[in-house]
Amino acid sequence: MAATETPLQGETIETIYEKGAPGRRAFVAPELDVPQVDGLLPDELRRAEGPRLPELSEPEIVRHYVRLSKRNFDLDSGFYPLGSCTMKHNPRLHERVAALPGHARLHPFQHPKRAQGALELMWNLERALGEISGLPHVSLQPSAGSHGELAGVLLAKAYHADRGETRTKVLTPDTAHGTNPATVTMAGLEVVKVGTNADGGVDLDDLRAKAGEDVACLMLTNPNTLGVFDANIEEIARIVHDVGAVLYYDGANLNAIMGITRPGDMGFDIVHFNLHKSFTQPHGGGGPGSGPIAVSERMEPYLMNPRIVRDDDGSFDLRDVSEKSIGRLRGFQGNYGCFVRSYAYIRSLGAEGLKDASVSAVLNANYLLARLGDVAEHLPLAYGRLCMHEFVLSGAPMKRELGIKTLDLAKRLLDHGYHPPTVYFPLLVDEALLIEPTETETRETLDGFADAIKTILAEAAEDPEIARTAPHTTPVRRLDEAGAAKRPVIRQPM
Amino acid sequence: MSTYTAITDADREAMLAAIGLADTDELFAAIPAALRLGRPLDLPPGQPEQDVYAHLRELAARNVSAEDEITFLGGGMYDHYVPALIDMLMSRSEFLTPYTPYQPEVSQGGLQVMFEYQTAISELTALPVANASVYEGPSALASAGYLAKLVNGRPRLVVSAGVHPHAIETLRTYAQGFGAEVVEVALRDGATDLDAWRAAIDDETGAVFFANPNFLGAVEDAEALAAAAGGGTGDERSRPVVIASYDPITLGILKPPGECGVDVCVGEGQPLGNRLDFGGPSFGFFAATEAYLRRMPGRIAGETVDADGRRGFVLTLQTREQHIRREKATSNICTAQALNALGGVVYLAWLGRRGIVELGELLLQRTHYAREALCAIDGVEPLHRRPVIREFAVTLPEWAPVDDVVERCAAEGVNPGLALPEHNGLLVAITEQRSRADIDRLAAVLADAVAEQAGKREMTGASNGRH
């Protein structure tokens, strides 16, 4: 259902704390079936008054959250071309298999002998990710892409430390995801930015000037956030390796190259995957995700503990295998529920299907780009002629000539029933609009989206005020974000 | 095979013509020939949906889940009942399939859920500010360590040995990165040794960490532990940050961290309406005093108004976050666990104000009953005598190796809990799903298993005697 059809427009919704009545309840506690003993918890350790949680019946709770759900735009209802997020279809098979009690009700401390199915699944997923990335050693532990990045940078740090070297700098292109520099700081290293050349790739001269003996690694995604595959990647790898540094692959854009080329073959030492992107997880309004990493032979000793091992009798175990390991990044084995889904996806598609997914994603992106060629005078492609699975338009001419910003265009798209693309990222493109259609959209959908953009631009030529005040049909209109940050109200007052 | 795509041959021709290319290979012209894979990936061929389902079902069948045995496994994740309405709400497309609410006008539902979640966590912990969830418990604790680094920059982190071992390991890994030393304070009689704790805290200490209840199930004296580091008082930059990890299910009856001098409370959210999933996904919670609001990791939803003055919600204080501040961000967390946090807030609404207290009381009584029942077995002793709410530790007689005992119980369809090999002990967890009958069965099976080991010892002794 498009946002234009919502029955809830204009409705003000109370929070759950403003509903219900004292004494109402949904939960009935099981009977106290053991003899009651007083004084088990001394008064000084006891809570004087229960927490002020809501008091509602089950029907009220259901109705409240179902009404809230209707105030969300979702992928199952409409086109969601949010660049760099890979909002591809979420197969429902995945929800069914993840909910099987043998997966969903399996305790993480269950003895490995009694979790052989889970460990085999994880083992198979590790092998598949190793093959897809061209880097054979995999840890599934990280909880999200950014968590995988932290693992990767700590791995690079441990690798250098083990060789008796202290390297303090990490190079990141100015096109990098914001998580890359944030991760570097968390890992106690210093960010050094590398420029972008006219083709949208890494500026090799700048890279050569900055690549020194103090560099721990270069973090790169290829294709990058401009939708450009950096054809100089072999030279980049040479420059980085010549100074003894490690090459790190941000796997956020892996959806463009599965079965076509591999980070390991390009010379990368470490890669993180975003299972929630390339290998389909429902994005859940911002998680859960999963960010496994794969590494080359020389990085393997530093991988996180514990690892899955296959013993001579064919059985699987979980063991700490390396004394040089950076340790552990979270509790238990990682987001297993996500592994089940991505493993099902890889089994469904197989080698051929994964490649077809990437080819189709790139075809869809280039087709949409071609369809938007008609409006290139207002929204030109920022770099190149062809793109990979996503592309960046600049709204600068549109802003100058039609008087509407990229944000206005995005908000007006909401009135047409589309989720807008990513706006104002990557940072080096003025008025950036980053569009990623993914392989699961039909040609008709792409045509409809292109037509909507044309309609909005034509409308803006007549009356830019319509876009400037958009959206007009959503449950709420433009929100005061500055006010929210100035006087933060982040909880319901009781 | 199933590719979830819809491009027909005719579509492909028309699309390539629109682009001005003859072949899809030309789309990849930028990739140097030497880097092309040039062969199919070495993976099994794709399979139809029903075959994939059968395979995944077969793998599931080779696991022994909480559906297959009476389990007392805990140690950080617990087999609580997940009410049906949570499955229904978490599987609604509108919650399941959107991304981070970057466009608030069409994300009011998800944003309001975050706001309600933050409120619930604030209420549970009695701390005024909370984020909209982080990955899970141990990484939440480690992230709190990084927060302390941002606040006072001191190089030593003092952690109680009662903190979950995975959380201590995670903290050590993070600390390798941001450059801090982790010092562990031992337990005495199952709880943090207060004298050693006080002695370990000095001018170099950036943060102190304890867990409540701790890993061995003991309820700690949170006020004394926090007071030793000056928690909740004075200038937060000139003293250690007091960080505590709590089991949220106990906060209906346990004095909340915000009333004990704790500055930052973190924890594993799984017990709140999330399934076990072999360790994840679940969510971590993170609450703090006002002073730490602008340095907290992760997302925060805030209330505001729209152009017509109507109430609405947005992601706020984003200038802390990586997409704006890049290397100056207070954390690198981007995608967190919004869907799992939804499960958490729905669960708390389902329990309600009285329910969380009643559930806590039930667990308190049953846990005590179970400890008594197990310790009535000849040779089984409590590992400590501190108050316990939902989990407790016992030691087995030295002649009954814990691994053998666990094995014997499992053969009877009872998982007696987590083996603690260093104590030859067991960590036994109780939920509302383990009735008195289940506990009695555990006690009977465990008694038999221990007795059997005693029998083995006698036989071995006799056989030794003959030689």
Side-chain angles (χ1 to χ4, degrees):
Chain A
M1 183 176 66
T4 46
E5 294 166 300
T6 173
L8 299 165
Q9 194 197 337
E11 183 187 39
T12 295
I13 290 252
E14 295 175 310
T15 69
I16 197 155
Y17 305 96
E18 296 163 311
K19 295 182 168 179
R24 281 202 199 132
R25 58 192 303 152
F27 166 76
V28 178
E31 180 199 353
L32 181 62
D33 51 2
V34 298
Q36 170 141 8
V37 180
D38 292 333
L40 294 178
L41 188 61
D43 283 348
E44 65 271 18
L45 301 178
R46 245 184 202 280
R47 185 163 196 147
E49 197 182 317
R52 289 169 297 183
L53 297 175
E55 294 178 86
L56 299 93
S57 65
E58 175 165 321
E60 285 179 285
I61 298 170
V62 168
R63 194 166 283 172
H64 175 74
Y65 286 108
V66 168
R67 288 172 83 83
L68 286 194
S69 77
K70 291 182 177 181
R71 292 162 72 86
N72 263 2
F73 185 100
D74 68 295
L75 175 63
D76 278 356
S77 308
F79 187 39
Y80 213 126
L82 196 62
S84 221
C85 296
T86 311
M87 298 294 286
K88 61 167 81 175
H89 172 65
N90 303 135
R92 279 311 192 271
L93 166 67
H94 300 181
E95 301 312 304
R96 178 179 286 177
V97 292
L100 290 168
H103 298 303
R105 288 194 70 197
L106 183 58
H107 194 284
F109 276 137
Q110 185 60 279
H111 195 283
K113 276 193 286 189
R114 286 186 277 274
Q116 285 294 301
L119 295 176
E120 181 171 338
L121 186 153
M122 290 167 70
W123 173 268
N124 288 345
L125 181 59
E126 286 185 358
R127 303 283 92 59
L129 295 176
E131 168 66 6
I132 292 163
S133 63
L135 292 165
H137 305 287
V138 179
S139 168
L140 300 175
Q141 203 179 86
S143 304
S146 52
H147 212 208
E149 285 176 29
L150 180 61
V153 175
L154 291 175
L155 237 60
K157 201 173 169 176
Y159 167 79
H160 294 303
D162 198 25
R163 295 158 62 90
E165 294 184 10
T166 306
R167 291 171 177 248
T168 54
K169 292 177 179 166
V170 174
L171 307 180
T172 63
D174 46 14
T175 52
H177 295 108
T179 48
N180 292 179
T183 297
V184 172
T185 308
M186 275 187 82
L189 299 171
E190 183 193 340
V191 178
V192 177
K193 269 193 228 171
V194 180
T196 297
N197 65 25
D199 298 327
V202 172
D203 181 333
L204 292 180
D205 291 336
D206 196 31
L207 177 63
R208 284 194 196 95
K210 287 168 180 166
E213 304 285 325
D214 54 354
V215 170
C217 80
L218 168 68
M219 299 180 87
L220 201 65
T221 179
N222 197 21
N224 66 19
T225 59
L226 296 168
V228 169
F229 188 92
D230 198 324
N232 294 324
I233 185 62
E234 290 165 295
E235 178 62 16
I236 292 168
R238 203 171 302 128
I239 294 168
V240 170
H241 290 150
D242 279 352
V243 297
V246 168
L247 193 55
Y248 178 93
Y249 187 91
D250 176 334
N253 296 337
L254 196 71
N255 206 48
I257 59 162
M258 295 184 295
I260 296 162
T261 182
R262 310 192 300 173
D265 301 342
M266 296 181 215
F268 285 90
D269 303 284
I270 306 169
V271 54
H272 87 251
F273 304 85
N274 297 78
L275 292 188
H276 47 291
K277 296 183 181 180
S278 322
F279 303 96
T280 75
Q281 305 290 325
H283 284 65
S290 181
I293 64 169
V295 302
S296 60
E297 221 54 63
R298 64 175 176 145
M299 307 305 298
E300 199 262 347
Y302 314 99
L303 268 186
M304 290 80 86
N305 276 331
R307 302 273 304 279
I308 302 167
V309 291
R310 185 175 207 168
D311 288 318
D312 291 341
D313 63 356
S315 68
F316 299 93
D317 197 7
L318 267 172
R319 287 202 290 267
D320 290 356
V321 299
S322 175
E323 285 180 9
K324 291 182 175 179
S325 166
I326 60 165
R328 179 183 262 290
L329 277 171
R330 53 161 289 157
F332 310 113
Q333 281 81 255
N335 283 345
Y336 177 76
C338 297
F339 309 153
V340 175
R341 292 173 176 87
S342 288
Y343 179 65
Y345 179 73
I346 290 170
R347 294 292 293 211
S348 292
L349 266 62
E352 200 184 324
L354 287 174
K355 183 179 179 184
D356 179 63
S358 285
V359 171
S360 301
V362 176
L363 179 64
N364 270 357
N366 279 284
Y367 176 70
L368 183 55
L369 174 60
R371 291 282 282 111
L372 290 169
D374 298 347
V375 294
E377 58 169 319
H378 297 306
L379 286 170
L381 180 65
Y383 285 88
R385 189 183 75 81
L386 291 173
C387 65
M388 296 302 281
H389 69 315
E390 61 186 354
F391 57 92
V392 190
L393 303 180
S394 169
M398 173 181 76
K399 182 180 170 188
R400 196 167 54 237
E401 286 145 27
L402 299 178
I404 67 167
K405 295 182 288 187
T406 289
L407 184 70
D408 303 323
L409 173 69
K411 296 303 182 195
R412 188 64 179 139
L413 276 168
L414 295 172
D415 290 331
H416 285 261
Y418 294 104
H419 194 284
T422 295
V423 293
Y424 302 106
F425 180 81
L427 305 175
L428 75 168
V429 174
D430 193 17
E431 292 288 317
L433 193 66
L434 176 60
I435 305 176
E436 181 183 7
T438 83
E439 71 276 13
T440 56
E441 298 301 333
T442 63
R443 185 179 157 207
E444 293 84 351
T445 298
L446 305 179
D447 287 341
F449 180 73
D451 289 344
I453 289 193
K454 284 179 210 170
T455 304
I456 293 168
L457 293 177
E459 174 191 77
E462 298 289 316
D463 182 4
E465 209 46 36
I466 299 173
R468 281 188 204 139
T469 53
H472 302 281
T473 56
T474 48
V476 291
R477 295 183 56 211
R478 269 194 222 192
L479 291 149
D480 180 8
E481 299 193 33
K486 207 176 290 170
R487 297 169 297 278
V489 178
I490 66 163
R491 55 164 299 169
Q492 174 74 41
M494 298 282 176
Chain B
M1 270 308 153
S2 168
T3 61
Y4 305 115
T5 56
I7 300 170
T8 65
D9 291 345
D11 284 335
R12 188 177 299 104
E13 292 307 310
M15 292 165 82
L16 285 168
I19 301 166
L21 299 179
D23 193 280
T24 51
D25 280 351
E26 292 179 24
L27 292 167
F28 300 96
I31 303 178
L35 299 182
R36 305 286 183 96
L37 186 56
R39 62 165 175 86
L41 288 166
D42 183 16
L43 294 173
Q47 291 181 302
E49 175 165 336
Q50 60 269 32
D51 293 359
V52 177
Y53 176 77
H55 175 55
L56 271 289
R57 194 178 170 282
E58 192 270 324
L59 289 172
R62 282 197 270 135
N63 300 323
V64 179
S65 77
E67 205 96 338
D68 308 314
E69 60 182 7
I70 303 171
T71 182
F72 293 86
L73 272 179
M77 284 195 154
Y78 303 91
D79 180 43
H80 287 286
Y81 180 72
V82 178
L85 88 167
I86 288 188
D87 288 343
M88 172 266 185
L89 289 168
M90 282 178 75
S91 61
R92 275 187 75 86
S93 291
E94 301 89 337
F95 288 133
L96 185 70
T97 71
Y99 203 25
T100 304
Y102 293 124
Q103 297 289 341
E105 297 85 356
V106 288
S107 311
Q108 284 300 297
L111 285 160
Q112 186 170 331
V113 167
M114 289 181 178
F115 182 83
E116 293 182 357
Y117 165 83
Q118 289 163 194
T119 306
I121 296 300
S122 278
E123 278 301 321
L124 270 189
T125 57
L127 285 163
V129 298
N131 73 13
S133 97
V134 286
Y135 307 134
E136 43 78 71
S139 67
L141 181 128
S143 295
Y146 186 59
L147 173 115
K149 161 81 177 179
L150 296 177
V151 169
N152 62 38
R154 294 176 176 187
R156 282 176 83 243
L157 305 174
V158 172
V159 58
S160 159
V163 168
H164 195 292
H166 289 182
I168 297 178
E169 288 177 49
T170 303
L171 178 66
R172 286 186 189 280
T173 306
Y174 276 56
Q176 281 167 33
F178 62 78
E181 177 201 6
V182 178
V183 181
E184 216 169 304
V185 173
L187 302 182
R188 194 169 62 192
D189 299 331
T192 309
D193 182 335
L194 202 53
D195 294 332
W197 175 259
R198 287 197 189 101
I201 300 168
D202 61 17
D203 289 350
E204 299 280 276
T205 305
V208 299
F209 304 80
F210 66 89
N212 204 17
N214 70 21
F215 185 68
L216 297 177
V219 177
E220 295 269 8
D221 186 346
E223 279 173 286
L225 292 171
T233 60
D235 182 355
E236 72 282 349
R237 287 163 301 185
S238 61
R239 62 167 175 80
V241 182
V242 176
I243 298 162
S245 176
Y246 272 71
D247 178 343
I249 214 83
T250 67
L251 283 171
I253 61 171
L254 210 54
K255 187 177 248 188
E259 292 173 16
C260 296
V262 170
D263 299 306
V264 179
C265 178
V266 295
E268 172 58 60
Q270 183 274 335
L272 305 177
N274 274 246
R275 54 202 201 190
L276 291 164
D277 275 334
F278 200 42
S282 60
F283 67 94
F285 63 88
F286 199 114
T289 58
E290 200 81 52
Y292 302 97
L293 171 62
R294 287 168 199 276
R295 283 175 166 146
M296 281 201 298
R299 304 270 182 221
I300 298 174
E303 187 179 331
T304 189
V305 291
D306 78 351
D308 294 332
R310 273 195 304 259
R311 183 188 204 176
F313 301 91
V314 292
L315 291 178
T316 195
L317 302 173
Q318 292 187 75
T319 49
R320 303 167 300 116
E321 291 191 63
Q322 38 73 31
H323 62 284
I324 292 181
R325 289 271 278 174
R326 298 177 76 83
E327 70 267 25
K328 295 188 182 71
T330 59
S331 88
N332 71 341
I333 293 175
C334 181
T335 294
Q337 305 290 124
L339 187 68
N340 301 87
L342 166 72
V345 72
V346 174
Y347 185 78
L348 288 169
W350 182 74
L351 280 185
R353 188 173 185 170
R354 282 188 302 164
I356 191 159
V357 178
E358 291 170 2
L359 180 59
E361 294 291 350
L362 178 75
L363 297 180
L364 179 71
Q365 295 293 336
R366 280 193 185 163
T367 305
H368 173 76
Y369 175 82
R371 178 156 76 169
E372 296 287 301
L374 264 50
C375 292
I377 298 168
D378 192 23
V380 177
E381 299 286 338
L383 192 55
H384 60 83
R385 296 195 178 272
R386 297 279 309 172
V388 290
I389 290 183
R390 65 118 83 246
E391 196 164 26
F392 61 94
V394 296
T395 57
L396 304 179
E398 37 93 14
W399 39 265
V402 63
D403 288 340
D404 295 342
V405 168
V406 169
E407 197 63 43
R408 192 71 200 87
C409 294
E412 298 294 318
V414 177
N415 191 326
L418 179 64
L420 301 171
E422 66 275 29
H423 301 289
N424 196 40
L426 274 174
L427 186 63
V428 182
I430 304 294
T431 71
E432 74 290 344
Q433 305 220 75
R434 300 294 92 85
S435 65
R436 176 179 182 163
D438 293 337
I439 295 167
D440 290 345
R441 168 119 179 97
L442 166 67
V445 168
L446 188 69
D448 285 352
V450 168
E452 197 177 283
Q453 292 298 321
K456 268 192 195 160
R457 180 184 61 160
E458 277 162 27
M459 277 175 62
T460 318
S463 117
N464 283 345
R466 253 182 252 124
H467 281 278

